[in-house]
Every structure is written in structure tokens, then in C-alpha cells.
């Protein structure tokens, strides 16, 4: 290229730039910084997040390796370096970071009282760099950051873009890892300015300009027992658990890790799920495709959080980390959708011989949550793994995955990813924290957790619980077989029993005296409501006896301890104590369930329930 031509090209490029340069901070080492910019940031970000934990996360997934975006970015940086080198003699000004061409001019009163050399931006200016901007910005404390190059490297993927145009703090506060100095150090590399002092209050952006990530969350039923509001985590009350085989959608327990994504009903049919196979082939299916191209199936299945009954472990063993669920982080529903194995077969995966690279199926949701299951669970023709879009004969509620979620019957609910938009068949499990550094069980003595030592929880063990204890109303006593006289009130105990993996509950044992003596509960026959290849549901049970019988075993005391334990068709049964299965995270708290029953108080408030 001749000099006159290069000069003319440079002048044209300068005229095309929308706004002048706000700062000269990129004078030093511009060549070396340009060439290594994207690669270094990506590497630094990944290593920083690993350093924030006790042990590095295993190698990145094959999916990430195939994308290979970094050489393109590096090449782009080199080209821009050459262009700006050519321009330098013409403009008689130092070269700038290529992102600076997109920066708006700083406010006229930018830095009258500060000599840090950073321009000041009004919040309205920052807002222009929202999620759809080519150069998204975020605010952290009082600084403004251009995260254009950070988005591809961020573990949350493009979900970080939700904060673009405003403060990132409400989003980062959801996860403590963001408070790590390593993360702050990474973020500092992307600073482009500060918030104008007129838009600050106590060193932070004005509150009315800070977006609440949970603002668009749905309204929840008042009957739910909430443990946290943002994100919403709420359990089904005992009364509702005892009342029906299928848990009504309104009181189905809610377990959210973040906000609830917004998908408009009018756009739901166009929601896409990308399916990627080990050879790199990608196929996309809309909800409309799933409904029209594949046979639909119905499965009745329990979903249960791994932390269900964690509060029992805390009370009867010692302190545990996590939400202190009682007995209601479990519910049962009828799910309708298409079998995932049918979709994978249509995408090109051989169900008979998927290959050595097909060991796991990874799921990602719109809010960045991710998990995976062994591919054997999907390939099993009796496994009933669904991409579900209906729940109890209605479209999925927003809290439960609208417009589509994964249902993996018999497995921990953490694998049933909601708002799913990506599925990857891989040679390794999901790289997310929820798969590799959570939802695992350690021994009672293992305070320091080696996350690579044990496998992630998949199939759930057997458990049972008492959900309601009451004196049976007289109008319900007609035809009862307890042997109690009309003058002897009937104690009615109700609950659920469940075992994962499709194992059916065979027996429920109840004790009125803390486990000294036992009797068998009546299993309620709900088989007419069950759907699926295996027993994916719970068994509701009840036990009735005269109050006089309870008084006999109480040894003169006014109260006694009721106990329940269950046995499945493989003759698995529950451990007696939580101390024997204690783990710091309080996962799989499946020991005998114990409830104190004060029959003297029950007589005073006759007809009222307790659980």
C-alpha cells in the first residue's frame, strides 16, 4: 500500500469514528497488549476463577474446544495494531485501544476534582451500552467497565449481559465467588471510566438506577414456606403434601439459583434448543418442532432437592451449610413432553453405539444454570427422560421451567434443568459449579472437601417423612378400623415415602415410642394416577391408632416421639441416625424421620394438625 493511499484510508477511518478518544491510557506497550489482549484475558479469567477455589476444575469441555474463538480475536487485534500504526504519523496523536472509538465523550464536568485520568459518564450514557450494544458496559461500585471481550470468557456465558447498561453488583451478589479479589483484579483490566459524581450516592450509583434482577419474577402462592426471597426458594407445606398425590402447581416446591428468565407466551413456540453431538454437529429444535415432530409421552414423577430434610441433619447431628429445608423440598407432578433419546436420535446420535465420546449429556438453562447426567440414563428405553413442556395438564409455570425443562425421573432434581436452551453430548460431565463442586456427599469426618473425590449425586436414595399428625375429626371416623371407641380419639399420622431409580416402596414402618416398637402403615393406592415405565412416584401412607394407645407408650409423659422409616423393593432402608450420614453440606438427609407429638395439646386443639 502506498503512503498516500494509506494516509487517505487513515483519514477516512478517523472520520468514521463516532466519537473522540476519552483518554490516552493505552500509550505504553500498545503493540504487545494488542496482540495478547483477548487470549491473555481469557486465560487470566479462567485461572482466576480456579484459584478462587481449593482445587482447579477439570479440563474445559469439548464444546469449548470446538468453538475456538480466541485465534480470531487475536488476529483481529493484530490487524487493528497495523492499522493504527499506519495512522500514527498522519494524526500526530498516540494510538488508542480499538474499543475507545466506541466510547461516548466524557461529560464536560468530568474530572474536576480527581486526577486519575478516567472520564466520567452519566448513568444515561452507560445505559446506552446495554445487552444489545456492540460494546456492553457494566458498573461496579463507582467505575464503568467495557465487558465486550469478557463475555466469551465469563463462566456464566452471555448471562452477564443481563447487567449491561447498569450495575453488575445485584447479579454478582447472588454468588460469593464474585467477591473474590481475583475477580475484581480481572474486572479492573476493563475499566473505561467512572460514574459521574452527580449520579452517585455514598460512592454508588443512585438506587433508583439499579436494576433488581428479580423484578420480573412471578408472584408466588402465599401457602409456600419461603426460605429465601431472592432467589426464591420455598417448600411445600405439610398440609399440601398430605392432601393429594399430585402436588398442585401453585404449591409445588420452588428451587431457584437465580432469577426466573422471561419468555413471553407469544414467543414460547419459537424458543430454541440447540443439540450438539461429540463430532461437533449441531441441530436446533424449537418448541413447535418438539410438539409436532416427536411422539409425546406422559410421566408421573417426584422431584426432590438433595437438601430435603437438611434441617433434620442440623438438629440431630450438627450445623450444615445450605437452605434449612424441612420435609417439603419434594413434590410430585404429571409431566408431558418428548423423550430426549428420540431427539438425540433425530440429531444423529446412534442409540445402539453412541461412541466413546458420548459419556454424558450436559444441559444449560437460560439463567446460566447447568448440570449433566450419564448418557446411560438417556439411552435407557425405560428411563423416561423428557424434555417437558406441560405440568399437571397445564403449560409449565415460569418457576418450573417455562417453556421447557428437563425431567430425569428418579434422579436428584438438580439435574432437571429448567428453561433449557442447550444440550451437549460430551465425553465429560458439565463443567458447572453445580455439577462438580456441589451436590456431593462427604463422610462425617471430611471437613475439607475434595470435590474430585466423589461423583455427583444422581439417583436418589430412599427417604420418608411425616407430613401431618392430627386427631381425626369425628365425621371422618365412620368405618375406621382402629378399634378405638367413640370416646377414644383417633390419632392420624400421614406422610410420604420415596426411593429413586424407579424403585417402588414396599413397606412403611411407624413407631409411636421413638423407635422402640413398630407397626406398619397403610400404603395409599394411587396407581391409577401413575404414568411411566417405572415407579417414579412417591407412596403416600397413613397410620391410625387410638389416643389411648399413644398414651400407653408415652410412659406417663404428655408427649411422645413418632418415627417413620421406609423400605423399597430392593430392600434398601433408611439409616437410623443423621450423625452416621452427616456431611457439611447437609445433602441426602434420609435418616428416620422423628416428630414430637404432644397429645395433651392435641386434645385441647382437637382437629388441628401438626407436623
Amino acid at each position: 500500500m502506498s503512503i498516500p493511499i494509506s494516509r487517505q484510508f487513515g483519514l477516512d477511518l478517523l472520520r468514521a469514528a463516532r466519537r473522540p478518544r476519552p483518554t490516552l491510557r493505552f500509550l505504553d506497550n500498545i503493540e504487545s497488549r494488542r496482540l495478547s489482549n483477548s487470549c491473555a484475558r481469557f486465560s487470566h479469567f479462567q485461572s482466576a476463577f480456579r484459584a478462587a477455589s481449593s482445587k482447579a476444575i477439570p479440563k474445559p469441555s469439548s464444546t469449548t474446544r470446538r468453538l475456538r474463538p480466541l485465534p480470531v480475536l487475536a488476529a483481529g487485534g493484530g490487524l487493528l495494531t497495523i492499522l493504527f500504526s499506519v495512522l500514527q504519523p498522519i494524526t500526530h496523536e498516540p494510538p488508542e485501544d480499538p474499543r475507545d472509538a466506541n466510547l461516548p465523550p466524557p461529560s464536560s464536568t468530568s474530572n474536576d476534582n480527581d486526577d486519575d485520568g478516567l472520564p466520567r459518564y452519566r448513568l444515561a450514557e452507560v445505559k446506552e451500552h446495554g445487552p444489545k450494544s456492540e460494546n456492553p458496559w457494566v458498573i461496579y461500585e463507582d467505575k464503568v467497565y467495557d465487558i465486550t471481550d469478557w463475555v466469551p470468557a465469563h463462566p456464566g456465558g452471555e448471562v452477564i449481559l443481563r447487567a449491561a447498561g447498569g450495575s453488575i453488583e445485584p447479579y454478582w451478589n447472588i454468588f460469593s465467588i464474585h467477591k473474590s479479589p481475583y475477580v475484581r483484579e480481572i474486572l479492573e483490566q476493563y475499566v473505561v471510566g467512572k460514574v459521574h459524581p452527580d449520579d452517585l450516592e455514598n460512592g454508588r450509583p443512585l438506587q433508583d438506577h439499579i436494576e433488581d434482577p428479580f423484578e420480573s419474577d412471578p408472584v408466588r402462592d402465599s401457602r409456600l414456606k419461603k426460605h429465601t426471597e431472592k432467589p426464591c426458594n420455598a417448600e411445600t407445606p405439610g398440609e399440601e403434601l398430605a392432601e393429594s398425590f399430585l402436588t398442585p402447581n401453585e404449591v409445588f416446591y420452588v428451587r431457584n439459583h437465580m432469577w426466573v428468565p422471561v419468555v413471553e407466551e407469544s414467543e414460547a413456540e419459537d424458543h430454541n434448543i440447540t443439540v450438539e453431538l461429540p463430532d461437533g454437529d449441531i441441530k436446533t429444535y424449537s418448541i413447535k418442532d418438539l410438539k409436532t415432530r416427536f411422539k409425546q409421552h406422559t410421566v408421573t414423577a417426584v422431584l426432590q432437592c438433595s437438601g430435603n430434610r437438611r434441617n433434620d441433619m442440623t438438629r440431630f447431628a450438627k450445623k450444615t451449610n445450605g437452605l434449612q429445608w424441612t420435609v417439603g423440598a419434594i413434590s410430585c407432578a404429571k409431566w408431558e413432553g418428548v423423550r430426549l433419546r428420540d431427539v438425540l436420535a433425530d440429531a444423529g446420535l446412534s442409540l445402539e453405539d453412541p461412541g466413546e465420546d458420548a459419556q454424558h449429556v450436559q444441559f444449560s438453562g437460560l439463567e446460566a444454570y447447568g448440570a449433566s447426567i450419564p448418557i446411560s440414563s438417556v439411552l435407557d428405553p425405560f428411563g423416561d427422560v423428557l424434555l417437558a413442556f406441560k405440568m399437571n395438564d397445564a403449560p409449565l409455570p415460569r418457576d418450573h421451567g417455562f417453556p421447557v425443562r428437563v425431567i430425569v425421573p428418579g434422579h436428584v432434581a438438580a439435574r432437571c434443568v429448567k428453561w433449557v436452551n442447550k444440550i451437549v453430548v460430551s465425553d465429560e460431565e458439565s463443567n458447572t459449579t453445580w455439577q462438580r463442586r456441589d451436590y456431593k456427599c462427604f463422610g462425617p469426618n471430611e471437613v475439607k472437601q475434595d470435590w474430585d473425590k466423589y461423583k455427583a449425586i444422581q439417583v436418589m436414595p430412599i427417604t420418608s417423612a411425616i407430613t401431618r399428625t392430627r386427631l381425626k375429626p369425628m365425621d371422618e371416623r365412620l368405618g375406621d378400623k382402629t378399634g378405638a371407641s367413640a370416646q377414644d380419639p383417633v390419632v392420624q399420622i400421614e406422610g410420604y415415602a420415596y426411593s429413586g431409580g424407579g424403585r417402588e416402596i414396599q413397606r412403611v414402618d411407624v413407631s409411636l415410642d421413638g423407635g422402640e416398637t413398630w407397626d406398619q402403615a397403610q400404603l395409599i393406592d394411587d396407581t391409577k394416577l401413575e404414568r411411566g415405565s417405572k415407579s417414579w412416584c412417591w407412596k403416600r401412607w397413613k397410620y391410625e391408632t387410638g389416643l389411648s394407645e399413644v398414651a400407653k407408650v408415652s410412659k406417663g409423659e404428655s408427649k411422645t416421639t413418632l418415627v417413620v422409616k421406609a423400605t423399597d423393593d430392593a430392600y434398601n432402608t433408611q439409616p437410623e441416625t443423621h450423625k452416621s450420614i452427616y456431611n457439611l453440606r447437609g445433602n441426602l438427609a434420609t435418616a428416620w424421620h422423628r416428630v414430637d407429638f404432644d397429645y395433651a395439646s392435641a386434645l385441647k386443639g382437637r382437629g388441628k394438625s401438626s407436623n
Side-chain angles (χ1 to χ4, degrees), residues 376-507:
S376 57
S377 299
V378 179
L379 299 181
D380 182 358
F382 302 105
D384 290 342
V385 179
L386 297 182
L387 293 177
F389 33 80
K390 293 186 74 175
M391 176 181 177
N392 290 335
D393 298 317
L396 286 171
R398 290 186 58 211
D399 261 331
H400 300 293
F402 179 81
V404 62
R405 73 173 299 170
V406 180
I407 294 295
V408 190
H411 288 56
V412 63
R415 310 300 165 219
C416 301
V417 176
K418 298 186 281 189
W419 314 292
V420 64
N421 67 341
K422 186 175 183 180
I423 299 172
V424 177
V425 179
S426 175
D427 60 347
E428 60 183 359
E429 64 180 353
S430 171
N431 270 324
T432 64
T433 296
W434 299 286
Q435 185 74 26
R436 301 207 178 197
R437 303 184 65 80
D438 201 353
Y439 298 111
K440 295 185 179 184
C441 265
F442 295 84
N445 60 306
E446 294 182 291
V447 178
K448 186 176 180 181
Q449 297 167 327
D450 179 357
W451 293 102
D452 295 331
K453 188 175 183 179
Y454 301 118
K455 292 183 177 181
I457 298 169
Q458 294 286 351
V459 174
M460 292 295 280
I462 188 171
T463 191
S464 65
I466 298 169
T467 59
R468 183 166 65 183
T469 304
R470 63 176 181 166
L471 294 183
K472 192 173 181 180
M474 291 298 295
D475 59 356
E476 295 182 21
R477 290 185 56 182
L478 295 177
D480 70 43
K481 301 177 182 179
T482 62
S485 66
Q487 290 75 34
D488 187 12
V490 173
V491 177
Q492 185 181 67
I493 309 168
E494 299 169 277
Y496 63 77
Y498 170 72
S499 189
R503 296 183 291 267
E504 186 177 6
I505 295 297
Q506 292 291 292
R507 190 181 78 240

Side-chain angles (χ1 to χ4, degrees), residues 243-498:
E243 202 63 36
S244 60
F245 175 69
L246 297 178
T247 312
N249 291 356
E250 296 80 7
V251 291
F252 198 100
Y253 88 97
V254 177
R255 176 65 173 108
N256 290 337
H257 295 85
M258 286 176 278
W259 54 87
V260 176
V262 177
V263 177
E264 300 295 339
E265 290 186 20
S266 59
E267 301 174 357
E269 294 289 292
D270 297 323
H271 173 80
N272 288 330
I273 300 176
T274 60
V275 176
E276 183 172 349
L277 302 183
D279 60 5
D281 285 349
I282 298 176
K283 199 163 185 178
T284 301
Y285 299 90
S286 67
I287 300 296
K288 185 177 181 180
D289 293 332
L290 296 179
K291 292 180 177 180
T292 58
R293 294 180 51 192
F294 299 94
K295 181 181 179 181
Q296 297 188 33
H297 297 266
T298 299
V299 175
T300 311
V302 157
L303 293 189
Q304 180 182 198
C305 180
S306 70
N308 190 36
R309 299 185 54 212
R310 180 180 284 130
N311 183 254
D312 286 341
M313 186 173 284
T314 299
R315 290 192 301 125
F316 294 110
K318 55 184 177 180
K319 181 181 178 181
T320 59
N321 296 334
L323 297 169
Q324 294 299 302
W325 301 104
T326 58
V327 300
I330 183 173
S331 298
C332 185
K334 181 171 74 171
W335 311 94
E336 295 178 58
V338 299
R339 285 181 176 168
L340 179 55
R341 70 191 306 271
D342 294 343
V343 178
L344 293 184
D346 184 82
L349 183 73
S350 170
L351 302 182
E352 292 74 26
D353 183 19
E356 294 183 359
D357 289 339
Q359 299 296 319
H360 302 267
V361 181
Q362 304 173 359
F363 308 110
S364 299
L366 288 172
E367 91 295 21
Y369 181 85
S372 62
I373 59 175
I375 198 168
S376 57
S377 299
V378 179
L379 299 181
D380 182 358
F382 302 105
D384 290 342
V385 179
L386 297 182
L387 293 177
F389 33 80
K390 293 186 74 175
M391 176 181 177
N392 290 335
D393 298 317
L396 286 171
R398 290 186 58 211
D399 261 331
H400 300 293
F402 179 81
V404 62
R405 73 173 299 170
V406 180
I407 294 295
V408 190
H411 288 56
V412 63
R415 310 300 165 219
C416 301
V417 176
K418 298 186 281 189
W419 314 292
V420 64
N421 67 341
K422 186 175 183 180
I423 299 172
V424 177
V425 179
S426 175
D427 60 347
E428 60 183 359
E429 64 180 353
S430 171
N431 270 324
T432 64
T433 296
W434 299 286
Q435 185 74 26
R436 301 207 178 197
R437 303 184 65 80
D438 201 353
Y439 298 111
K440 295 185 179 184
C441 265
F442 295 84
N445 60 306
E446 294 182 291
V447 178
K448 186 176 180 181
Q449 297 167 327
D450 179 357
W451 293 102
D452 295 331
K453 188 175 183 179
Y454 301 118
K455 292 183 177 181
I457 298 169
Q458 294 286 351
V459 174
M460 292 295 280
I462 188 171
T463 191
S464 65
I466 298 169
T467 59
R468 183 166 65 183
T469 304
R470 63 176 181 166
L471 294 183
K472 192 173 181 180
M474 291 298 295
D475 59 356
E476 295 182 21
R477 290 185 56 182
L478 295 177
D480 70 43
K481 301 177 182 179
T482 62
S485 66
Q487 290 75 34
D488 187 12
V490 173
V491 177
Q492 185 181 67
I493 309 168
E494 299 169 277
Y496 63 77
Y498 170 72

Side-chain angles (χ1 to χ4, degrees), residues 88 121 186 319 409 574 599:
Q88 188 172 351
Y121 295 106
I186 299 165
K319 181 181 178 181
Q574 297 168 245
Y599 60 83

Side-chain angles (χ1 to χ4, degrees), residues 499-516:
S499 189
R503 296 183 291 267
E504 186 177 6
I505 295 297
Q506 292 291 292
R507 190 181 78 240
V508 172
D509 303 323
V510 174
S511 173
L512 304 177
D513 53 9
E516 294 295 324

Side-chain angles (χ1 to χ4, degrees), residues 491-601:
V491 177
Q492 185 181 67
I493 309 168
E494 299 169 277
Y496 63 77
Y498 170 72
S499 189
R503 296 183 291 267
E504 186 177 6
I505 295 297
Q506 292 291 292
R507 190 181 78 240
V508 172
D509 303 323
V510 174
S511 173
L512 304 177
D513 53 9
E516 294 295 324
T517 60
W518 297 89
D519 197 4
Q520 281 63 56
Q522 173 190 347
L523 301 183
I524 298 174
D525 185 8
D526 291 312
T527 52
K528 63 182 180 297
L529 298 175
E530 296 182 10
R531 301 288 186 275
S533 302
K534 297 181 182 179
S535 182
W536 307 121
C537 309
W538 55 19
K539 283 287 186 184
R540 294 188 299 150
W541 58 266
K542 65 180 180 180
Y543 183 83
E544 297 179 354
T545 188
L547 185 60
S548 59
E549 293 299 313
V550 178
K552 286 180 184 178
V553 300
S554 65
K555 300 177 181 178
E557 299 292 331
S558 64
K559 63 180 182 180
T560 187
T561 299
L562 309 176
V563 184
V564 64
K565 62 183 178 73
T567 302
D568 66 21
D569 60 10
Y571 287 93
N572 298 307
T573 192
Q574 297 168 245
E576 180 176 351
T577 69
H578 281 102
K579 287 184 179 179
S580 66
I581 56 172
Y582 174 79
N583 60 94
L584 188 60
R585 279 290 282 121
N587 285 324
L588 306 184
T590 60
W592 297 358
H593 188 220
R594 304 169 185 270
V595 173
D596 289 336
F597 178 62
D598 188 335
Y599 60 83
S601 297

